[in-house]
Each structure stands twice: as C-alpha cells, then as structure tokens.
Amino acid sequence: MTETGLRERKKQRMYQVLSDTAVRLFMERGFDAVSVAEVAAAAEVSKPTLFRYFPAKEDLVLHRIADHEDEAARVAAEGPDPLTALRRHFLAGLERHDPVTGLNDHPEVLAFHRLLYGTPALAARVYAYQERSEAALADALGGDLDARLAAGQIIAVQRVLALENWRRIAGGERAEDVQEDAVAAAGRAFEQLARGLPRLAGTGWGSGPRPGAE
C-alpha cells in the first residue's frame, strides 16, 4: 500500500475512534452533559486535533449515518427505474434489519436512535442531513423543479416509514414482529409514489430521456 493510502486509512480510523468514543459517552451521560474536551481526553487526542476531524460536536454523532447521505441518489441511478430501485433497496434494508430503516431492536441501535431523535441539536442536524440527501436525489433525477418535488416526496416517505418502525420498536415491540407490517407499509407507500410519480416508475417516462440517463 502506498504512503498516501496508509495516511488515508489512518485518517479514517481516527474518524471512527473519535465518533465511537463520543457516541459511547453521549449515550452513557447525555449529549449536553459531555463536553468536547472530555471526548478528546477519552480518545487521547487534543481538543484542536478533534476539531480538525469534526468541526462541530454534533458531527461526532452524525458521522455514523454520513455514508447514507447520497445513498438514495446512488440507488436511484442503478435502475431499472428510480422508484423500482429505491423500493427494492428499502425492502432489502428491512430484510436485513438495517438500522436506517428503523427496523432494528439491538439495544445499542435503540440507544443511538434515542440519542439522535431525543436531542434537539442532533435532531436539527438530522433535518439538515435529510435536506442534503434530498438535494442529491433531486440532482440524480434531473435537477429541475419536478425532480426536486419528487425527491422531497421520496425522502419524506422513507423518513416516515423508518420513524414508524423505530416508534413501534422503541415502544417495546420486537423487530421480527414489526417486520411484516413494515414490509406491507413500504409496499403501499411506494405504490402511492408510483401512481403520483409515473415518470419515475418505468412506464411513464414518455419519449424524453430518463433523468440521469446519458
């Protein structure tokens, strides 16, 4: 491996160590009760070093879901059409109990979700993250007003489905008991999207090029 590759791996490990250390402390004591200086000390780095990796305290938590920010845009481009691809991807996530779908009852995942949605500062950052995810999807769908309207609907549907799954599991239900309802709800939701957005559902493309097509 090249020196550049080694540096990049070391950098990525540091991101992970800092984020994992912070999330552990936040879940134990609460986001507002833990200072950035305490996170740095626990990770055995200086505070300036921590800020070089994470400019804001909230970023330490959002790092765990940062990889999903452009996921919808990437999946939509895989075809055979955007809504089919996104539906299949969401259903596959439910099948493997991906935490992003809300259908995961592992205690650590539940604790992380409580931290994320129960902390106003973090909830606000999640909203900004969803806006960026929506913008990336809109660009993948063509970037015009119709694409932005469609992206807003799709991201909202995925968010509501995930929150409903998380709400039920946080209320004491097991993921395996929620799964059948979650799959059915996702199917209905994407059917409604297909009816409202036929241009993205394969049969309603018309004679023009498909968004994202060369």
Side-chain angles (χ1 to χ4, degrees), residues 132-171:
R132 292 192 297 272
S133 181
E134 181 182 312
L137 177 57
D139 286 343
L141 297 178
D144 59 6
L145 176 59
D146 286 345
R148 296 197 299 275
L149 291 170
Q153 294 175 65
I154 293 166
I155 296 299
V157 161
Q158 293 182 330
R159 175 180 58 81
V160 171
L161 289 171
L163 285 175
E164 174 63 12
N165 296 336
W166 174 74
R167 181 192 65 80
R168 290 183 60 178
I169 291 173

PDB file of all heavy atoms in Angstrom, residues 132-171:
ATOM      1  N   ARG A 132     -29.820  17.562   2.513  1.00  0.00           N
ATOM      2  CA  ARG A 132     -28.726  17.286   1.579  1.00  0.00           C
ATOM      3  C   ARG A 132     -28.985  16.000   0.796  1.00  0.00           C
ATOM      4  O   ARG A 132     -28.685  15.910  -0.396  1.00  0.00           O
ATOM      5  CB  ARG A 132     -27.395  17.206   2.324  1.00  0.00           C
ATOM      6  CG  ARG A 132     -26.934  18.543   2.899  1.00  0.00           C
ATOM      7  CD  ARG A 132     -25.499  18.481   3.375  1.00  0.00           C
ATOM      8  NE  ARG A 132     -25.313  17.540   4.462  1.00  0.00           N
ATOM      9  CZ  ARG A 132     -25.468  17.833   5.747  1.00  0.00           C
ATOM     10  NH1 ARG A 132     -25.838  19.050   6.110  1.00  0.00           N
ATOM     11  NH2 ARG A 132     -25.263  16.923   6.669  1.00  0.00           N
ATOM     12  N   SER A 133     -29.562  15.002   1.474  1.00  0.00           N
ATOM     13  CA  SER A 133     -29.909  13.755   0.798  1.00  0.00           C
ATOM     14  C   SER A 133     -30.965  14.013  -0.279  1.00  0.00           C
ATOM     15  O   SER A 133     -30.888  13.478  -1.391  1.00  0.00           O
ATOM     16  CB  SER A 133     -30.442  12.742   1.818  1.00  0.00           C
ATOM     17  OG  SER A 133     -30.772  11.523   1.197  1.00  0.00           O
ATOM     18  N   GLU A 134     -31.924  14.848   0.048  1.00  0.00           N
ATOM     19  CA  GLU A 134     -32.974  15.223  -0.899  1.00  0.00           C
ATOM     20  C   GLU A 134     -32.387  15.964  -2.095  1.00  0.00           C
ATOM     21  O   GLU A 134     -32.764  15.710  -3.251  1.00  0.00           O
ATOM     22  CB  GLU A 134     -34.008  16.089  -0.187  1.00  0.00           C
ATOM     23  CG  GLU A 134     -35.177  16.535  -1.025  1.00  0.00           C
ATOM     24  CD  GLU A 134     -36.119  17.418  -0.231  1.00  0.00           C
ATOM     25  OE1 GLU A 134     -36.470  17.045   0.909  1.00  0.00           O
ATOM     26  OE2 GLU A 134     -36.490  18.499  -0.747  1.00  0.00           O
ATOM     27  N   ALA A 135     -31.460  16.885  -1.838  1.00  0.00           N
ATOM     28  CA  ALA A 135     -30.841  17.647  -2.923  1.00  0.00           C
ATOM     29  C   ALA A 135     -30.033  16.736  -3.841  1.00  0.00           C
ATOM     30  O   ALA A 135     -30.063  16.897  -5.075  1.00  0.00           O
ATOM     31  CB  ALA A 135     -29.954  18.737  -2.344  1.00  0.00           C
ATOM     32  N   ALA A 136     -29.319  15.770  -3.266  1.00  0.00           N
ATOM     33  CA  ALA A 136     -28.538  14.842  -4.086  1.00  0.00           C
ATOM     34  C   ALA A 136     -29.452  13.988  -4.952  1.00  0.00           C
ATOM     35  O   ALA A 136     -29.159  13.742  -6.131  1.00  0.00           O
ATOM     36  CB  ALA A 136     -27.679  13.952  -3.187  1.00  0.00           C
ATOM     37  N   LEU A 137     -30.571  13.536  -4.383  1.00  0.00           N
ATOM     38  CA  LEU A 137     -31.521  12.742  -5.159  1.00  0.00           C
ATOM     39  C   LEU A 137     -32.134  13.580  -6.264  1.00  0.00           C
ATOM     40  O   LEU A 137     -32.294  13.108  -7.401  1.00  0.00           O
ATOM     41  CB  LEU A 137     -32.608  12.181  -4.244  1.00  0.00           C
ATOM     42  CG  LEU A 137     -33.717  11.373  -4.936  1.00  0.00           C
ATOM     43  CD1 LEU A 137     -33.125  10.195  -5.720  1.00  0.00           C
ATOM     44  CD2 LEU A 137     -34.739  10.881  -3.912  1.00  0.00           C
ATOM     45  N   ALA A 138     -32.473  14.823  -5.964  1.00  0.00           N
ATOM     46  CA  ALA A 138     -33.047  15.703  -6.982  1.00  0.00           C
ATOM     47  C   ALA A 138     -32.087  15.874  -8.152  1.00  0.00           C
ATOM     48  O   ALA A 138     -32.492  15.837  -9.320  1.00  0.00           O
ATOM     49  CB  ALA A 138     -33.390  17.061  -6.376  1.00  0.00           C
ATOM     50  N   ASP A 139     -30.815  16.042  -7.858  1.00  0.00           N
ATOM     51  CA  ASP A 139     -29.821  16.166  -8.922  1.00  0.00           C
ATOM     52  C   ASP A 139     -29.773  14.894  -9.769  1.00  0.00           C
ATOM     53  O   ASP A 139     -29.669  14.951 -11.003  1.00  0.00           O
ATOM     54  CB  ASP A 139     -28.436  16.441  -8.335  1.00  0.00           C
ATOM     55  CG  ASP A 139     -28.291  17.872  -7.830  1.00  0.00           C
ATOM     56  OD1 ASP A 139     -29.118  18.723  -8.214  1.00  0.00           O
ATOM     57  OD2 ASP A 139     -27.358  18.124  -7.049  1.00  0.00           O
ATOM     58  N   ALA A 140     -29.863  13.733  -9.107  1.00  0.00           N
ATOM     59  CA  ALA A 140     -29.822  12.464  -9.834  1.00  0.00           C
ATOM     60  C   ALA A 140     -31.046  12.285 -10.725  1.00  0.00           C
ATOM     61  O   ALA A 140     -30.984  11.592 -11.743  1.00  0.00           O
ATOM     62  CB  ALA A 140     -29.722  11.304  -8.849  1.00  0.00           C
ATOM     63  N   LEU A 141     -32.156  12.917 -10.346  1.00  0.00           N
ATOM     64  CA  LEU A 141     -33.402  12.792 -11.107  1.00  0.00           C
ATOM     65  C   LEU A 141     -33.550  13.851 -12.188  1.00  0.00           C
ATOM     66  O   LEU A 141     -34.560  13.897 -12.880  1.00  0.00           O
ATOM     67  CB  LEU A 141     -34.607  12.849 -10.158  1.00  0.00           C
ATOM     68  CG  LEU A 141     -34.708  11.732  -9.122  1.00  0.00           C
ATOM     69  CD1 LEU A 141     -35.919  11.944  -8.227  1.00  0.00           C
ATOM     70  CD2 LEU A 141     -34.758  10.366  -9.784  1.00  0.00           C
ATOM     71  N   GLY A 142     -32.573  14.723 -12.311  1.00  0.00           N
ATOM     72  CA  GLY A 142     -32.618  15.709 -13.372  1.00  0.00           C
ATOM     73  C   GLY A 142     -32.387  17.135 -12.948  1.00  0.00           C
ATOM     74  O   GLY A 142     -32.063  17.987 -13.770  1.00  0.00           O
ATOM     75  N   GLY A 143     -32.609  17.433 -11.661  1.00  0.00           N
ATOM     76  CA  GLY A 143     -32.275  18.748 -11.135  1.00  0.00           C
ATOM     77  C   GLY A 143     -33.291  19.850 -11.345  1.00  0.00           C
ATOM     78  O   GLY A 143     -33.117  20.952 -10.830  1.00  0.00           O
ATOM     79  N   ASP A 144     -34.372  19.594 -12.093  1.00  0.00           N
ATOM     80  CA  ASP A 144     -35.362  20.643 -12.320  1.00  0.00           C
ATOM     81  C   ASP A 144     -36.390  20.652 -11.196  1.00  0.00           C
ATOM     82  O   ASP A 144     -36.275  19.897 -10.215  1.00  0.00           O
ATOM     83  CB  ASP A 144     -36.040  20.476 -13.683  1.00  0.00           C
ATOM     84  CG  ASP A 144     -36.749  19.132 -13.824  1.00  0.00           C
ATOM     85  OD1 ASP A 144     -36.819  18.374 -12.829  1.00  0.00           O
ATOM     86  OD2 ASP A 144     -37.233  18.830 -14.935  1.00  0.00           O
ATOM     87  N   LEU A 145     -37.410  21.509 -11.318  1.00  0.00           N
ATOM     88  CA  LEU A 145     -38.411  21.622 -10.262  1.00  0.00           C
ATOM     89  C   LEU A 145     -39.144  20.304 -10.039  1.00  0.00           C
ATOM     90  O   LEU A 145     -39.382  19.897  -8.899  1.00  0.00           O
ATOM     91  CB  LEU A 145     -39.411  22.731 -10.607  1.00  0.00           C
ATOM     92  CG  LEU A 145     -40.582  22.905  -9.617  1.00  0.00           C
ATOM     93  CD1 LEU A 145     -40.052  23.219  -8.220  1.00  0.00           C
ATOM     94  CD2 LEU A 145     -41.527  23.997 -10.108  1.00  0.00           C
ATOM     95  N   ASP A 146     -39.514  19.617 -11.125  1.00  0.00           N
ATOM     96  CA  ASP A 146     -40.200  18.331 -10.980  1.00  0.00           C
ATOM     97  C   ASP A 146     -39.336  17.335 -10.220  1.00  0.00           C
ATOM     98  O   ASP A 146     -39.832  16.573  -9.391  1.00  0.00           O
ATOM     99  CB  ASP A 146     -40.557  17.763 -12.356  1.00  0.00           C
ATOM    100  CG  ASP A 146     -41.710  18.492 -13.019  1.00  0.00           C
ATOM    101  OD1 ASP A 146     -42.411  19.251 -12.307  1.00  0.00           O
ATOM    102  OD2 ASP A 146     -41.909  18.313 -14.229  1.00  0.00           O
ATOM    103  N   ALA A 147     -38.033  17.348 -10.504  1.00  0.00           N
ATOM    104  CA  ALA A 147     -37.121  16.445  -9.811  1.00  0.00           C
ATOM    105  C   ALA A 147     -37.039  16.786  -8.331  1.00  0.00           C
ATOM    106  O   ALA A 147     -37.012  15.889  -7.472  1.00  0.00           O
ATOM    107  CB  ALA A 147     -35.733  16.517 -10.444  1.00  0.00           C
ATOM    108  N   ARG A 148     -37.010  18.063  -8.002  1.00  0.00           N
ATOM    109  CA  ARG A 148     -36.944  18.476  -6.596  1.00  0.00           C
ATOM    110  C   ARG A 148     -38.227  18.106  -5.852  1.00  0.00           C
ATOM    111  O   ARG A 148     -38.189  17.681  -4.692  1.00  0.00           O
ATOM    112  CB  ARG A 148     -36.667  19.976  -6.493  1.00  0.00           C
ATOM    113  CG  ARG A 148     -35.303  20.386  -7.068  1.00  0.00           C
ATOM    114  CD  ARG A 148     -34.865  21.757  -6.595  1.00  0.00           C
ATOM    115  NE  ARG A 148     -35.784  22.817  -6.988  1.00  0.00           N
ATOM    116  CZ  ARG A 148     -35.751  23.439  -8.147  1.00  0.00           C
ATOM    117  NH1 ARG A 148     -34.856  23.098  -9.069  1.00  0.00           N
ATOM    118  NH2 ARG A 148     -36.601  24.428  -8.411  1.00  0.00           N
ATOM    119  N   LEU A 149     -39.373  18.273  -6.507  1.00  0.00           N
ATOM    120  CA  LEU A 149     -40.643  17.895  -5.890  1.00  0.00           C
ATOM    121  C   LEU A 149     -40.692  16.383  -5.650  1.00  0.00           C
ATOM    122  O   LEU A 149     -41.127  15.921  -4.584  1.00  0.00           O
ATOM    123  CB  LEU A 149     -41.807  18.326  -6.780  1.00  0.00           C
ATOM    124  CG  LEU A 149     -42.053  19.829  -6.892  1.00  0.00           C
ATOM    125  CD1 LEU A 149     -43.065  20.123  -7.993  1.00  0.00           C
ATOM    126  CD2 LEU A 149     -42.544  20.394  -5.561  1.00  0.00           C
ATOM    127  N   ALA A 150     -40.242  15.623  -6.632  1.00  0.00           N
ATOM    128  CA  ALA A 150     -40.246  14.167  -6.492  1.00  0.00           C
ATOM    129  C   ALA A 150     -39.296  13.725  -5.383  1.00  0.00           C
ATOM    130  O   ALA A 150     -39.643  12.875  -4.551  1.00  0.00           O
ATOM    131  CB  ALA A 150     -39.838  13.521  -7.819  1.00  0.00           C
ATOM    132  N   ALA A 151     -38.095  14.299  -5.353  1.00  0.00           N
ATOM    133  CA  ALA A 151     -37.115  13.932  -4.335  1.00  0.00           C
ATOM    134  C   ALA A 151     -37.647  14.223  -2.936  1.00  0.00           C
ATOM    135  O   ALA A 151     -37.456  13.430  -2.006  1.00  0.00           O
ATOM    136  CB  ALA A 151     -35.803  14.676  -4.569  1.00  0.00           C
ATOM    137  N   GLY A 152     -38.335  15.354  -2.783  1.00  0.00           N
ATOM    138  CA  GLY A 152     -38.909  15.692  -1.480  1.00  0.00           C
ATOM    139  C   GLY A 152     -39.908  14.648  -1.028  1.00  0.00           C
ATOM    140  O   GLY A 152     -39.942  14.263   0.151  1.00  0.00           O
ATOM    141  N   GLN A 153     -40.742  14.171  -1.940  1.00  0.00           N
ATOM    142  CA  GLN A 153     -41.731  13.152  -1.595  1.00  0.00           C
ATOM    143  C   GLN A 153     -41.070  11.822  -1.242  1.00  0.00           C
ATOM    144  O   GLN A 153     -41.454  11.162  -0.270  1.00  0.00           O
ATOM    145  CB  GLN A 153     -42.688  12.961  -2.769  1.00  0.00           C
ATOM    146  CG  GLN A 153     -43.562  14.171  -3.062  1.00  0.00           C
ATOM    147  CD  GLN A 153     -44.408  13.981  -4.306  1.00  0.00           C
ATOM    148  OE1 GLN A 153     -45.275  13.122  -4.348  1.00  0.00           O
ATOM    149  NE2 GLN A 153     -44.144  14.776  -5.335  1.00  0.00           N
ATOM    150  N   ILE A 154     -40.080  11.432  -2.016  1.00  0.00           N
ATOM    151  CA  ILE A 154     -39.427  10.139  -1.796  1.00  0.00           C
ATOM    152  C   ILE A 154     -38.684  10.118  -0.460  1.00  0.00           C
ATOM    153  O   ILE A 154     -38.815   9.165   0.326  1.00  0.00           O
ATOM    154  CB  ILE A 154     -38.461   9.835  -2.958  1.00  0.00           C
ATOM    155  CG1 ILE A 154     -39.257   9.612  -4.247  1.00  0.00           C
ATOM    156  CG2 ILE A 154     -37.591   8.619  -2.642  1.00  0.00           C
ATOM    157  CD1 ILE A 154     -38.409   9.628  -5.500  1.00  0.00           C
ATOM    158  N   ILE A 155     -37.909  11.149  -0.188  1.00  0.00           N
ATOM    159  CA  ILE A 155     -37.162  11.194   1.079  1.00  0.00           C
ATOM    160  C   ILE A 155     -38.119  11.253   2.262  1.00  0.00           C
ATOM    161  O   ILE A 155     -37.885  10.614   3.301  1.00  0.00           O
ATOM    162  CB  ILE A 155     -36.197  12.392   1.091  1.00  0.00           C
ATOM    163  CG1 ILE A 155     -35.127  12.235   0.002  1.00  0.00           C
ATOM    164  CG2 ILE A 155     -35.553  12.559   2.462  1.00  0.00           C
ATOM    165  CD1 ILE A 155     -34.256  11.000   0.154  1.00  0.00           C
ATOM    166  N   ALA A 156     -39.227  11.987   2.104  1.00  0.00           N
ATOM    167  CA  ALA A 156     -40.218  12.060   3.188  1.00  0.00           C
ATOM    168  C   ALA A 156     -40.836  10.699   3.461  1.00  0.00           C
ATOM    169  O   ALA A 156     -41.026  10.307   4.622  1.00  0.00           O
ATOM    170  CB  ALA A 156     -41.304  13.078   2.834  1.00  0.00           C
ATOM    171  N   VAL A 157     -41.154   9.960   2.416  1.00  0.00           N
ATOM    172  CA  VAL A 157     -41.735   8.624   2.581  1.00  0.00           C
ATOM    173  C   VAL A 157     -40.765   7.705   3.316  1.00  0.00           C
ATOM    174  O   VAL A 157     -41.142   6.998   4.268  1.00  0.00           O
ATOM    175  CB  VAL A 157     -42.118   8.032   1.210  1.00  0.00           C
ATOM    176  CG1 VAL A 157     -42.274   6.510   1.292  1.00  0.00           C
ATOM    177  CG2 VAL A 157     -43.414   8.653   0.713  1.00  0.00           C
ATOM    178  N   GLN A 158     -39.506   7.709   2.918  1.00  0.00           N
ATOM    179  CA  GLN A 158     -38.532   6.856   3.581  1.00  0.00           C
ATOM    180  C   GLN A 158     -38.355   7.243   5.050  1.00  0.00           C
ATOM    181  O   GLN A 158     -38.226   6.376   5.921  1.00  0.00           O
ATOM    182  CB  GLN A 158     -37.189   6.931   2.848  1.00  0.00           C
ATOM    183  CG  GLN A 158     -37.223   6.323   1.457  1.00  0.00           C
ATOM    184  CD  GLN A 158     -35.880   6.350   0.765  1.00  0.00           C
ATOM    185  OE1 GLN A 158     -35.059   7.243   0.992  1.00  0.00           O
ATOM    186  NE2 GLN A 158     -35.641   5.386  -0.093  1.00  0.00           N
ATOM    187  N   ARG A 159     -38.368   8.549   5.310  1.00  0.00           N
ATOM    188  CA  ARG A 159     -38.212   9.031   6.689  1.00  0.00           C
ATOM    189  C   ARG A 159     -39.393   8.596   7.552  1.00  0.00           C
ATOM    190  O   ARG A 159     -39.211   8.083   8.669  1.00  0.00           O
ATOM    191  CB  ARG A 159     -38.092  10.553   6.698  1.00  0.00           C
ATOM    192  CG  ARG A 159     -38.049  11.167   8.098  1.00  0.00           C
ATOM    193  CD  ARG A 159     -37.924  12.680   8.039  1.00  0.00           C
ATOM    194  NE  ARG A 159     -39.015  13.302   7.298  1.00  0.00           N
ATOM    195  CZ  ARG A 159     -40.217  13.549   7.832  1.00  0.00           C
ATOM    196  NH1 ARG A 159     -40.463  13.242   9.096  1.00  0.00           N
ATOM    197  NH2 ARG A 159     -41.152  14.130   7.109  1.00  0.00           N
ATOM    198  N   VAL A 160     -40.609   8.757   7.047  1.00  0.00           N
ATOM    199  CA  VAL A 160     -41.800   8.408   7.825  1.00  0.00           C
ATOM    200  C   VAL A 160     -41.865   6.898   8.074  1.00  0.00           C
ATOM    201  O   VAL A 160     -42.193   6.450   9.181  1.00  0.00           O
ATOM    202  CB  VAL A 160     -43.075   8.903   7.117  1.00  0.00           C
ATOM    203  CG1 VAL A 160     -44.316   8.349   7.803  1.00  0.00           C
ATOM    204  CG2 VAL A 160     -43.124  10.431   7.116  1.00  0.00           C
ATOM    205  N   LEU A 161     -41.533   6.104   7.071  1.00  0.00           N
ATOM    206  CA  LEU A 161     -41.522   4.651   7.246  1.00  0.00           C
ATOM    207  C   LEU A 161     -40.521   4.244   8.323  1.00  0.00           C
ATOM    208  O   LEU A 161     -40.848   3.426   9.207  1.00  0.00           O
ATOM    209  CB  LEU A 161     -41.165   3.968   5.924  1.00  0.00           C
ATOM    210  CG  LEU A 161     -42.220   4.005   4.817  1.00  0.00           C
ATOM    211  CD1 LEU A 161     -41.620   3.489   3.506  1.00  0.00           C
ATOM    212  CD2 LEU A 161     -43.453   3.195   5.190  1.00  0.00           C
ATOM    213  N   ALA A 162     -39.321   4.810   8.271  1.00  0.00           N
ATOM    214  CA  ALA A 162     -38.292   4.467   9.260  1.00  0.00           C
ATOM    215  C   ALA A 162     -38.692   4.911  10.664  1.00  0.00           C
ATOM    216  O   ALA A 162     -38.509   4.171  11.640  1.00  0.00           O
ATOM    217  CB  ALA A 162     -36.957   5.083   8.861  1.00  0.00           C
ATOM    218  N   LEU A 163     -39.249   6.104  10.787  1.00  0.00           N
ATOM    219  CA  LEU A 163     -39.653   6.605  12.095  1.00  0.00           C
ATOM    220  C   LEU A 163     -40.788   5.784  12.684  1.00  0.00           C
ATOM    221  O   LEU A 163     -40.850   5.568  13.903  1.00  0.00           O
ATOM    222  CB  LEU A 163     -40.055   8.079  11.998  1.00  0.00           C
ATOM    223  CG  LEU A 163     -38.907   9.076  11.864  1.00  0.00           C
ATOM    224  CD1 LEU A 163     -39.452  10.486  11.645  1.00  0.00           C
ATOM    225  CD2 LEU A 163     -37.999   9.044  13.087  1.00  0.00           C
ATOM    226  N   GLU A 164     -41.709   5.311  11.840  1.00  0.00           N
ATOM    227  CA  GLU A 164     -42.800   4.480  12.343  1.00  0.00           C
ATOM    228  C   GLU A 164     -42.258   3.155  12.866  1.00  0.00           C
ATOM    229  O   GLU A 164     -42.685   2.675  13.928  1.00  0.00           O
ATOM    230  CB  GLU A 164     -43.818   4.225  11.227  1.00  0.00           C
ATOM    231  CG  GLU A 164     -44.928   3.248  11.585  1.00  0.00           C
ATOM    232  CD  GLU A 164     -45.824   3.710  12.731  1.00  0.00           C
ATOM    233  OE1 GLU A 164     -45.755   4.897  13.124  1.00  0.00           O
ATOM    234  OE2 GLU A 164     -46.608   2.890  13.239  1.00  0.00           O
ATOM    235  N   ASN A 165     -41.319   2.564  12.137  1.00  0.00           N
ATOM    236  CA  ASN A 165     -40.710   1.317  12.627  1.00  0.00           C
ATOM    237  C   ASN A 165     -39.989   1.548  13.946  1.00  0.00           C
ATOM    238  O   ASN A 165     -40.130   0.749  14.890  1.00  0.00           O
ATOM    239  CB  ASN A 165     -39.724   0.776  11.583  1.00  0.00           C
ATOM    240  CG  ASN A 165     -40.402   0.383  10.295  1.00  0.00           C
ATOM    241  OD1 ASN A 165     -41.590   0.082  10.270  1.00  0.00           O
ATOM    242  ND2 ASN A 165     -39.649   0.385   9.202  1.00  0.00           N
ATOM    243  N   TRP A 166     -39.216   2.637  14.020  1.00  0.00           N
ATOM    244  CA  TRP A 166     -38.482   2.928  15.242  1.00  0.00           C
ATOM    245  C   TRP A 166     -39.437   3.216  16.400  1.00  0.00           C
ATOM    246  O   TRP A 166     -39.210   2.764  17.531  1.00  0.00           O
ATOM    247  CB  TRP A 166     -37.561   4.131  15.023  1.00  0.00           C
ATOM    248  CG  TRP A 166     -36.872   4.568  16.283  1.00  0.00           C
ATOM    249  CD1 TRP A 166     -35.839   3.934  16.918  1.00  0.00           C
ATOM    250  CD2 TRP A 166     -37.194   5.700  17.084  1.00  0.00           C
ATOM    251  NE1 TRP A 166     -35.491   4.619  18.061  1.00  0.00           N
ATOM    252  CE2 TRP A 166     -36.308   5.708  18.188  1.00  0.00           C
ATOM    253  CE3 TRP A 166     -38.134   6.720  16.978  1.00  0.00           C
ATOM    254  CZ2 TRP A 166     -36.343   6.682  19.168  1.00  0.00           C
ATOM    255  CZ3 TRP A 166     -38.165   7.697  17.964  1.00  0.00           C
ATOM    256  CH2 TRP A 166     -37.284   7.674  19.036  1.00  0.00           C
ATOM    257  N   ARG A 167     -40.533   3.932  16.126  1.00  0.00           N
ATOM    258  CA  ARG A 167     -41.501   4.257  17.173  1.00  0.00           C
ATOM    259  C   ARG A 167     -42.078   2.983  17.787  1.00  0.00           C
ATOM    260  O   ARG A 167     -42.190   2.865  19.017  1.00  0.00           O
ATOM    261  CB  ARG A 167     -42.628   5.111  16.594  1.00  0.00           C
ATOM    262  CG  ARG A 167     -43.693   5.535  17.613  1.00  0.00           C
ATOM    263  CD  ARG A 167     -44.914   6.128  16.942  1.00  0.00           C
ATOM    264  NE  ARG A 167     -45.613   5.143  16.123  1.00  0.00           N
ATOM    265  CZ  ARG A 167     -46.438   4.225  16.622  1.00  0.00           C
ATOM    266  NH1 ARG A 167     -46.632   4.143  17.940  1.00  0.00           N
ATOM    267  NH2 ARG A 167     -47.044   3.367  15.824  1.00  0.00           N
ATOM    268  N   ARG A 168     -42.436   2.023  16.952  1.00  0.00           N
ATOM    269  CA  ARG A 168     -43.022   0.789  17.463  1.00  0.00           C
ATOM    270  C   ARG A 168     -42.008  -0.030  18.259  1.00  0.00           C
ATOM    271  O   ARG A 168     -42.326  -0.570  19.323  1.00  0.00           O
ATOM    272  CB  ARG A 168     -43.582  -0.035  16.299  1.00  0.00           C
ATOM    273  CG  ARG A 168     -44.822   0.585  15.659  1.00  0.00           C
ATOM    274  CD  ARG A 168     -45.390  -0.279  14.557  1.00  0.00           C
ATOM    275  NE  ARG A 168     -45.780  -1.603  15.057  1.00  0.00           N
ATOM    276  CZ  ARG A 168     -46.348  -2.540  14.297  1.00  0.00           C
ATOM    277  NH1 ARG A 168     -46.572  -2.299  13.007  1.00  0.00           N
ATOM    278  NH2 ARG A 168     -46.671  -3.715  14.815  1.00  0.00           N
ATOM    279  N   ILE A 169     -40.786  -0.093  17.762  1.00  0.00           N
ATOM    280  CA  ILE A 169     -39.761  -0.866  18.462  1.00  0.00           C
ATOM    281  C   ILE A 169     -39.360  -0.168  19.757  1.00  0.00           C
ATOM    282  O   ILE A 169     -39.177  -0.817  20.794  1.00  0.00           O
ATOM    283  CB  ILE A 169     -38.550  -1.090  17.536  1.00  0.00           C
ATOM    284  CG1 ILE A 169     -38.953  -2.045  16.411  1.00  0.00           C
ATOM    285  CG2 ILE A 169     -37.366  -1.647  18.307  1.00  0.00           C
ATOM    286  CD1 ILE A 169     -37.925  -2.222  15.336  1.00  0.00           C
ATOM    287  N   ALA A 170     -39.267   1.154  19.721  1.00  0.00           N
ATOM    288  CA  ALA A 170     -38.967   1.897  20.949  1.00  0.00           C
ATOM    289  C   ALA A 170     -40.075   1.715  21.975  1.00  0.00           C
ATOM    290  O   ALA A 170     -39.840   1.817  23.190  1.00  0.00           O
ATOM    291  CB  ALA A 170     -38.782   3.377  20.638  1.00  0.00           C
ATOM    292  N   GLY A 171     -41.288   1.419  21.497  1.00  0.00           N
ATOM    293  CA  GLY A 171     -42.422   1.189  22.394  1.00  0.00           C
ATOM    294  C   GLY A 171     -42.458  -0.208  22.975  1.00  0.00           C
ATOM    295  O   GLY A 171     -43.362  -0.528  23.750  1.00  0.00           O
TER     296      GLY A 171
END
